[in-house]
Amino acid sequence: MKFRLFLIISSFACLYSSLIYHVYDLQIVKGSYYTARALSRTRLSGYLMPQRGGIYFSDKNGTPVAAAITKAYPVIFAVPKDVKDPELMTAELSGILNIKNDKLFSMLNKGSEDEYELLVKKASNGQVDKIKELKPAGIYIEEENFRFYPLKTLASHVLGFVGSASDNSGLNGRYGLELLYNGGLGGEEGRLDGERVIKPIAGKNIYLTIDSNIETAAEEVLFNLIQKYSADQGMVMVQDPKTGKILAMGAYPNFDPNNFSDYKIGDFLNPIVQSVFEPGSVMKVITMAAGLDSGKLTADTTFYDSGSLTLNGFTIKNWDKKAHGKVTMTEVIEGSINTGAAYAGKLIGKDLFYNYLVKFGLGEKTNIGLPGELNGSLNNLKNSSRDINFATAAFGQGISLTPIQLISSISAIANGGVLMKPYLIKDESPVVVRRVISEEASRETTKMMVSAVKKAVIAQIPKFDIAGKTGTAQIPDFKYGGYTENYIHTFVGFAPAYNPKFTVMIRIDNPKNVSLAGLTVVPAFRELAEFLLNYYNVPPDYLD
């Protein structure tokens, strides 16, 4: 009986001793590690911090494609008071962690002052393997959740990126949709209610109209074009003209949101909505659409071109410095004749012409749903009645647009004269802004654009009617006034012309050693249009 009692007491003593040792091991021996671990979780991901919602592209079948998600990354951190020899540790780890010696030594040599020092936020597999191999005292590895952009630079201006909040309260969206929808993506933080923990609510996912396959093809065409002609920058868009939804939106220079700190702040601005430019000759189709709709001219209205036109002491000349003699309005578009566009503007009349530009959405935001969108400007027409201002506006100079305004206005022509609100969020429904021109005027303008493409040949695709127009606009000299010798090349077109599946805009700025858009952006448009026709399996307009 005594032996059994002794055995029971001994067993309990062993268990109690084991428990005491375990508590000692947790609190004393490994206390620093677990304190730091708790701090790492609190500081980086936060127990009460919600998981951020994802952003998804899709394909033509509606399959979601992840563009911005939350991913677990290895995190390397130090417990300085557990580091026995900071100088030796610095020498061993500086190269592995890619931290300069003086900075790393300062982080490791804090002793008991600091129980947590973050060393590497998103550690590579190589760094993790080295740390595990060396097992340095006071250096630990954990996993924490961070933002991950699997498609890297693709549509980076649309997405933006996520960075640490200024008050260290978590992560905030910076630029693009990450900024605009930060509240919904970020979710709702958890909280402590006495002894009760209120769990965080995860952020909502966002699904976009952008097709990842079209975006990839469009950006590849743009990048190759910029490289070939050493252009300063460029942009490309693809829109469904019947709904307004954006299928692709890319610009260069772009950036990798995973490593945004490697880029300049200017690279984060989206030039498609946050910059303006003078559109040049692309504007001529809008002028003709206004003239056709108002009844002030027809496609066969004639004009005698002497090669120049002087108004208010300024002389307008054609881009080719030639006089074309008697021409029709269709031939004005085919030959991109500046004096002919100015004549069309004169026939329309100043007030009516200005009102048509407003109806097309120029000078006002499209409300696409991206931060920082600009208005563009029609002030040269609104605040002045000078003939020269209206004449130059008719062929795209002296007024400024955003690229998103330009593609939307051309899509209105493609869509039977109805302007649609451009949008990026898949759950949104198409919104009609207003009817801009009649269906008849839309079709007549389209015919003129098709004729221009057929005559120029370069953009033509066998068995399809393609509608399009080039623009070669001089870049203004904002310092001294007037214009520089640098040019912006633009092409906007849609296909199939009379039942369009897409509208495409391609633009490059200051291409080197080439002056005409017909040699740069037009072949690029054709390449992208051929991809889109094949991608959607669009039947040809002609069988022969």
Side-chain angles (χ1 to χ4, degrees), residues 74-107:
V75 172
I76 300 174
F77 63 93
V79 178
K81 71 177 185 179
D82 288 350
V83 177
K84 306 302 181 186
D85 189 339
E87 188 173 353
L88 177 62
M89 190 72 73
T90 297
E92 288 182 346
L93 299 183
S94 178
I96 297 172
L97 303 178
N98 295 321
I99 302 174
K100 291 183 178 180
N101 283 32
D102 54 349
K103 182 179 180 180
L104 182 58
F105 179 78
S106 175
M107 298 170 79

mmCIF file of all heavy atoms in Angstrom, residues 74-107:
data_model
loop_
_atom_site.group_PDB
_atom_site.id
_atom_site.type_symbol
_atom_site.label_atom_id
_atom_site.label_comp_id
_atom_site.label_asym_id
_atom_site.label_seq_id
_atom_site.Cartn_x
_atom_site.Cartn_y
_atom_site.Cartn_z
ATOM 1 N N PRO A 74 8.704 34.050 -46.118
ATOM 2 C CA PRO A 74 9.604 33.893 -44.972
ATOM 3 C C PRO A 74 10.100 35.260 -44.502
ATOM 4 O O PRO A 74 10.406 36.127 -45.318
ATOM 5 C CB PRO A 74 10.772 33.063 -45.537
ATOM 6 C CG PRO A 74 10.304 32.526 -46.846
ATOM 7 C CD PRO A 74 9.273 33.496 -47.347
ATOM 8 N N VAL A 75 10.143 35.430 -43.196
ATOM 9 C CA VAL A 75 10.635 36.657 -42.584
ATOM 10 C C VAL A 75 11.789 36.294 -41.647
ATOM 11 O O VAL A 75 11.663 35.381 -40.831
ATOM 12 C CB VAL A 75 9.513 37.363 -41.790
ATOM 13 C CG1 VAL A 75 10.067 38.522 -41.000
ATOM 14 C CG2 VAL A 75 8.414 37.826 -42.727
ATOM 15 N N ILE A 76 12.891 36.987 -41.800
ATOM 16 C CA ILE A 76 14.048 36.749 -40.929
ATOM 17 C C ILE A 76 14.147 37.911 -39.951
ATOM 18 O O ILE A 76 14.160 39.073 -40.356
ATOM 19 C CB ILE A 76 15.348 36.624 -41.748
ATOM 20 C CG1 ILE A 76 15.241 35.464 -42.741
ATOM 21 C CG2 ILE A 76 16.546 36.435 -40.825
ATOM 22 C CD1 ILE A 76 16.420 35.356 -43.689
ATOM 23 N N PHE A 77 14.193 37.595 -38.654
ATOM 24 C CA PHE A 77 14.293 38.636 -37.646
ATOM 25 C C PHE A 77 15.290 38.233 -36.566
ATOM 26 O O PHE A 77 15.697 37.064 -36.459
ATOM 27 C CB PHE A 77 12.932 38.953 -37.030
ATOM 28 C CG PHE A 77 12.300 37.818 -36.282
ATOM 29 C CD1 PHE A 77 12.488 37.679 -34.911
ATOM 30 C CD2 PHE A 77 11.493 36.891 -36.945
ATOM 31 C CE1 PHE A 77 11.889 36.640 -34.211
ATOM 32 C CE2 PHE A 77 10.893 35.854 -36.256
ATOM 33 C CZ PHE A 77 11.090 35.718 -34.876
ATOM 34 N N ALA A 78 15.687 39.201 -35.765
ATOM 35 C CA ALA A 78 16.677 38.965 -34.719
ATOM 36 C C ALA A 78 16.113 39.309 -33.349
ATOM 37 O O ALA A 78 15.251 40.184 -33.228
ATOM 38 C CB ALA A 78 17.923 39.799 -34.980
ATOM 39 N N VAL A 79 16.609 38.597 -32.337
ATOM 40 C CA VAL A 79 16.390 38.961 -30.939
ATOM 41 C C VAL A 79 17.753 39.422 -30.425
ATOM 42 O O VAL A 79 18.600 38.606 -30.060
ATOM 43 C CB VAL A 79 15.866 37.775 -30.119
ATOM 44 C CG1 VAL A 79 15.687 38.180 -28.662
ATOM 45 C CG2 VAL A 79 14.566 37.255 -30.701
ATOM 46 N N PRO A 80 18.032 40.725 -30.464
ATOM 47 C CA PRO A 80 19.382 41.236 -30.191
ATOM 48 C C PRO A 80 19.993 40.757 -28.872
ATOM 49 O O PRO A 80 21.189 40.496 -28.808
ATOM 50 C CB PRO A 80 19.182 42.752 -30.196
ATOM 51 C CG PRO A 80 18.046 42.959 -31.140
ATOM 52 C CD PRO A 80 17.131 41.800 -30.887
ATOM 53 N N LYS A 81 19.175 40.596 -27.811
ATOM 54 C CA LYS A 81 19.771 40.206 -26.528
ATOM 55 C C LYS A 81 20.246 38.757 -26.527
ATOM 56 O O LYS A 81 20.996 38.348 -25.641
ATOM 57 C CB LYS A 81 18.782 40.448 -25.390
ATOM 58 C CG LYS A 81 17.590 39.522 -25.341
ATOM 59 C CD LYS A 81 16.760 39.856 -24.116
ATOM 60 C CE LYS A 81 15.598 38.879 -23.935
ATOM 61 N NZ LYS A 81 14.804 39.205 -22.735
ATOM 62 N N ASP A 82 19.808 37.970 -27.542
ATOM 63 C CA ASP A 82 20.275 36.588 -27.653
ATOM 64 C C ASP A 82 21.493 36.465 -28.566
ATOM 65 O O ASP A 82 22.044 35.374 -28.726
ATOM 66 C CB ASP A 82 19.157 35.693 -28.202
ATOM 67 C CG ASP A 82 18.056 35.469 -27.189
ATOM 68 O OD1 ASP A 82 18.251 35.851 -26.020
ATOM 69 O OD2 ASP A 82 16.992 34.943 -27.576
ATOM 70 N N VAL A 83 21.882 37.579 -29.197
ATOM 71 C CA VAL A 83 23.060 37.562 -30.077
ATOM 72 C C VAL A 83 24.306 37.734 -29.218
ATOM 73 O O VAL A 83 24.515 38.788 -28.615
ATOM 74 C CB VAL A 83 22.971 38.674 -31.135
ATOM 75 C CG1 VAL A 83 24.238 38.702 -31.996
ATOM 76 C CG2 VAL A 83 21.739 38.473 -32.019
ATOM 77 N N LYS A 84 25.150 36.703 -29.173
ATOM 78 C CA LYS A 84 26.308 36.699 -28.269
ATOM 79 C C LYS A 84 27.425 37.610 -28.754
ATOM 80 O O LYS A 84 28.036 38.327 -27.969
ATOM 81 C CB LYS A 84 26.855 35.273 -28.129
ATOM 82 C CG LYS A 84 25.816 34.246 -27.716
ATOM 83 C CD LYS A 84 25.144 34.594 -26.392
ATOM 84 C CE LYS A 84 24.121 33.519 -25.978
ATOM 85 N NZ LYS A 84 23.371 33.932 -24.768
ATOM 86 N N ASP A 85 27.714 37.562 -30.034
ATOM 87 C CA ASP A 85 28.823 38.340 -30.588
ATOM 88 C C ASP A 85 28.338 39.096 -31.830
ATOM 89 O O ASP A 85 28.447 38.596 -32.954
ATOM 90 C CB ASP A 85 29.983 37.405 -30.951
ATOM 91 C CG ASP A 85 31.249 38.169 -31.328
ATOM 92 O OD1 ASP A 85 31.143 39.348 -31.694
ATOM 93 O OD2 ASP A 85 32.341 37.565 -31.264
ATOM 94 N N PRO A 86 27.789 40.294 -31.664
ATOM 95 C CA PRO A 86 27.222 41.048 -32.797
ATOM 96 C C PRO A 86 28.223 41.293 -33.925
ATOM 97 O O PRO A 86 27.848 41.287 -35.095
ATOM 98 C CB PRO A 86 26.792 42.370 -32.151
ATOM 99 C CG PRO A 86 26.580 42.051 -30.713
ATOM 100 C CD PRO A 86 27.598 41.002 -30.382
ATOM 101 N N GLU A 87 29.480 41.513 -33.563
ATOM 102 C CA GLU A 87 30.494 41.787 -34.585
ATOM 103 C C GLU A 87 30.728 40.569 -35.461
ATOM 104 O O GLU A 87 30.763 40.665 -36.695
ATOM 105 C CB GLU A 87 31.795 42.228 -33.923
ATOM 106 C CG GLU A 87 32.824 42.725 -34.922
ATOM 107 C CD GLU A 87 34.044 43.326 -34.238
ATOM 108 O OE1 GLU A 87 34.029 43.482 -32.995
ATOM 109 O OE2 GLU A 87 35.026 43.638 -34.939
ATOM 110 N N LEU A 88 30.880 39.399 -34.831
ATOM 111 C CA LEU A 88 31.083 38.159 -35.585
ATOM 112 C C LEU A 88 29.833 37.815 -36.389
ATOM 113 O O LEU A 88 29.927 37.404 -37.556
ATOM 114 C CB LEU A 88 31.419 37.013 -34.621
ATOM 115 C CG LEU A 88 31.589 35.625 -35.272
ATOM 116 C CD1 LEU A 88 32.756 35.649 -36.254
ATOM 117 C CD2 LEU A 88 31.803 34.560 -34.197
ATOM 118 N N MET A 89 28.665 38.006 -35.780
ATOM 119 C CA MET A 89 27.401 37.702 -36.456
ATOM 120 C C MET A 89 27.217 38.601 -37.687
ATOM 121 O O MET A 89 26.752 38.157 -38.730
ATOM 122 C CB MET A 89 26.234 37.896 -35.495
ATOM 123 C CG MET A 89 24.916 37.386 -36.033
ATOM 124 S SD MET A 89 24.854 35.591 -36.075
ATOM 125 C CE MET A 89 24.681 35.229 -34.325
ATOM 126 N N THR A 90 27.613 39.854 -37.556
ATOM 127 C CA THR A 90 27.524 40.788 -38.683
ATOM 128 C C THR A 90 28.385 40.314 -39.842
ATOM 129 O O THR A 90 27.954 40.324 -41.000
ATOM 130 C CB THR A 90 27.957 42.195 -38.247
ATOM 131 O OG1 THR A 90 27.057 42.674 -37.240
ATOM 132 C CG2 THR A 90 27.946 43.157 -39.435
ATOM 133 N N ALA A 91 29.604 39.889 -39.524
ATOM 134 C CA ALA A 91 30.519 39.415 -40.567
ATOM 135 C C ALA A 91 29.960 38.184 -41.274
ATOM 136 O O ALA A 91 30.115 38.022 -42.494
ATOM 137 C CB ALA A 91 31.883 39.106 -39.963
ATOM 138 N N GLU A 92 29.277 37.304 -40.531
ATOM 139 C CA GLU A 92 28.745 36.068 -41.111
ATOM 140 C C GLU A 92 27.488 36.305 -41.940
ATOM 141 O O GLU A 92 27.274 35.640 -42.964
ATOM 142 C CB GLU A 92 28.423 35.063 -39.994
ATOM 143 C CG GLU A 92 29.643 34.461 -39.333
ATOM 144 C CD GLU A 92 29.252 33.430 -38.273
ATOM 145 O OE1 GLU A 92 28.060 33.393 -37.894
ATOM 146 O OE2 GLU A 92 30.135 32.681 -37.834
ATOM 147 N N LEU A 93 26.663 37.266 -41.519
ATOM 148 C CA LEU A 93 25.332 37.394 -42.107
ATOM 149 C C LEU A 93 25.155 38.558 -43.079
ATOM 150 O O LEU A 93 24.180 38.589 -43.833
ATOM 151 C CB LEU A 93 24.285 37.520 -40.995
ATOM 152 C CG LEU A 93 24.168 36.343 -40.021
ATOM 153 C CD1 LEU A 93 23.041 36.608 -39.040
ATOM 154 C CD2 LEU A 93 23.932 35.050 -40.768
ATOM 155 N N SER A 94 26.055 39.519 -43.069
ATOM 156 C CA SER A 94 25.865 40.707 -43.900
ATOM 157 C C SER A 94 25.665 40.361 -45.375
ATOM 158 O O SER A 94 24.737 40.862 -46.023
ATOM 159 C CB SER A 94 27.069 41.643 -43.754
ATOM 160 O OG SER A 94 26.913 42.769 -44.584
ATOM 161 N N GLY A 95 26.508 39.492 -45.900
ATOM 162 C CA GLY A 95 26.393 39.100 -47.301
ATOM 163 C C GLY A 95 25.148 38.293 -47.586
ATOM 164 O O GLY A 95 24.522 38.439 -48.647
ATOM 165 N N ILE A 96 24.757 37.442 -46.648
ATOM 166 C CA ILE A 96 23.578 36.601 -46.838
ATOM 167 C C ILE A 96 22.302 37.435 -46.843
ATOM 168 O O ILE A 96 21.401 37.234 -47.668
ATOM 169 C CB ILE A 96 23.499 35.535 -45.726
ATOM 170 C CG1 ILE A 96 24.710 34.596 -45.811
ATOM 171 C CG2 ILE A 96 22.200 34.742 -45.809
ATOM 172 C CD1 ILE A 96 24.819 33.645 -44.634
ATOM 173 N N LEU A 97 22.238 38.396 -45.924
ATOM 174 C CA LEU A 97 21.017 39.191 -45.766
ATOM 175 C C LEU A 97 20.996 40.430 -46.657
ATOM 176 O O LEU A 97 19.974 41.133 -46.708
ATOM 177 C CB LEU A 97 20.865 39.614 -44.297
ATOM 178 C CG LEU A 97 20.828 38.485 -43.265
ATOM 179 C CD1 LEU A 97 20.714 39.067 -41.863
ATOM 180 C CD2 LEU A 97 19.682 37.528 -43.545
ATOM 181 N N ASN A 98 22.121 40.706 -47.324
ATOM 182 C CA ASN A 98 22.239 41.893 -48.175
ATOM 183 C C ASN A 98 21.995 43.181 -47.384
ATOM 184 O O ASN A 98 21.297 44.094 -47.832
ATOM 185 C CB ASN A 98 21.268 41.822 -49.362
ATOM 186 C CG ASN A 98 21.591 40.689 -50.302
ATOM 187 O OD1 ASN A 98 22.766 40.407 -50.563
ATOM 188 N ND2 ASN A 98 20.566 40.024 -50.807
ATOM 189 N N ILE A 99 22.559 43.227 -46.199
ATOM 190 C CA ILE A 99 22.481 44.410 -45.346
ATOM 191 C C ILE A 99 23.909 44.881 -45.081
ATOM 192 O O ILE A 99 24.779 44.080 -44.732
ATOM 193 C CB ILE A 99 21.773 44.109 -44.007
ATOM 194 C CG1 ILE A 99 20.362 43.562 -44.257
ATOM 195 C CG2 ILE A 99 21.698 45.365 -43.145
ATOM 196 C CD1 ILE A 99 19.655 43.118 -42.993
ATOM 197 N N LYS A 100 24.158 46.171 -45.250
ATOM 198 C CA LYS A 100 25.507 46.704 -45.034
ATOM 199 C C LYS A 100 25.969 46.447 -43.603
ATOM 200 O O LYS A 100 25.167 46.470 -42.658
ATOM 201 C CB LYS A 100 25.529 48.195 -45.340
ATOM 202 C CG LYS A 100 25.346 48.515 -46.816
ATOM 203 C CD LYS A 100 25.439 49.999 -47.082
ATOM 204 C CE LYS A 100 25.297 50.303 -48.579
ATOM 205 N NZ LYS A 100 25.375 51.758 -48.860
ATOM 206 N N ASN A 101 27.295 46.245 -43.460
ATOM 207 C CA ASN A 101 27.864 45.858 -42.162
ATOM 208 C C ASN A 101 27.490 46.808 -41.033
ATOM 209 O O ASN A 101 27.062 46.372 -39.956
ATOM 210 C CB ASN A 101 29.394 45.781 -42.284
ATOM 211 C CG ASN A 101 29.838 44.509 -42.978
ATOM 212 O OD1 ASN A 101 29.145 43.993 -43.846
ATOM 213 N ND2 ASN A 101 30.993 43.987 -42.607
ATOM 214 N N ASP A 102 27.662 48.119 -41.265
ATOM 215 C CA ASP A 102 27.406 49.075 -40.182
ATOM 216 C C ASP A 102 25.936 49.080 -39.763
ATOM 217 O O ASP A 102 25.607 49.181 -38.577
ATOM 218 C CB ASP A 102 27.861 50.474 -40.573
ATOM 219 C CG ASP A 102 27.259 50.938 -41.892
ATOM 220 O OD1 ASP A 102 26.659 50.094 -42.599
ATOM 221 O OD2 ASP A 102 27.377 52.139 -42.214
ATOM 222 N N LYS A 103 25.049 48.938 -40.740
ATOM 223 C CA LYS A 103 23.618 48.915 -40.434
ATOM 224 C C LYS A 103 23.241 47.641 -39.688
ATOM 225 O O LYS A 103 22.505 47.682 -38.686
ATOM 226 C CB LYS A 103 22.798 49.034 -41.710
ATOM 227 C CG LYS A 103 21.295 49.074 -41.473
ATOM 228 C CD LYS A 103 20.523 49.220 -42.779
ATOM 229 C CE LYS A 103 19.022 49.253 -42.522
ATOM 230 N NZ LYS A 103 18.250 49.386 -43.786
ATOM 231 N N LEU A 104 23.739 46.489 -40.150
ATOM 232 C CA LEU A 104 23.416 45.225 -39.501
ATOM 233 C C LEU A 104 23.978 45.175 -38.096
ATOM 234 O O LEU A 104 23.313 44.719 -37.157
ATOM 235 C CB LEU A 104 23.954 44.060 -40.336
ATOM 236 C CG LEU A 104 23.657 42.650 -39.811
ATOM 237 C CD1 LEU A 104 22.144 42.437 -39.670
ATOM 238 C CD2 LEU A 104 24.248 41.594 -40.725
ATOM 239 N N PHE A 105 25.214 45.658 -37.922
ATOM 240 C CA PHE A 105 25.816 45.671 -36.584
ATOM 241 C C PHE A 105 24.991 46.514 -35.625
ATOM 242 O O PHE A 105 24.765 46.136 -34.469
ATOM 243 C CB PHE A 105 27.244 46.204 -36.667
ATOM 244 C CG PHE A 105 27.926 46.265 -35.330
ATOM 245 C CD1 PHE A 105 28.439 45.107 -34.743
ATOM 246 C CD2 PHE A 105 28.043 47.463 -34.647
ATOM 247 C CE1 PHE A 105 29.051 45.157 -33.496
ATOM 248 C CE2 PHE A 105 28.661 47.519 -33.396
ATOM 249 C CZ PHE A 105 29.166 46.366 -32.821
ATOM 250 N N SER A 106 24.517 47.660 -36.107
ATOM 251 C CA SER A 106 23.685 48.530 -35.273
ATOM 252 C C SER A 106 22.400 47.828 -34.848
ATOM 253 O O SER A 106 21.938 47.995 -33.713
ATOM 254 C CB SER A 106 23.359 49.806 -36.044
ATOM 255 O OG SER A 106 22.465 50.614 -35.331
ATOM 256 N N MET A 107 21.830 47.014 -35.744
ATOM 257 C CA MET A 107 20.589 46.299 -35.443
ATOM 258 C C MET A 107 20.816 45.172 -34.441
ATOM 259 O O MET A 107 19.963 44.902 -33.580
ATOM 260 C CB MET A 107 19.987 45.746 -36.727
ATOM 261 C CG MET A 107 19.598 46.805 -37.738
ATOM 262 S SD MET A 107 19.169 46.120 -39.358
ATOM 263 C CE MET A 107 17.506 45.538 -39.053
#
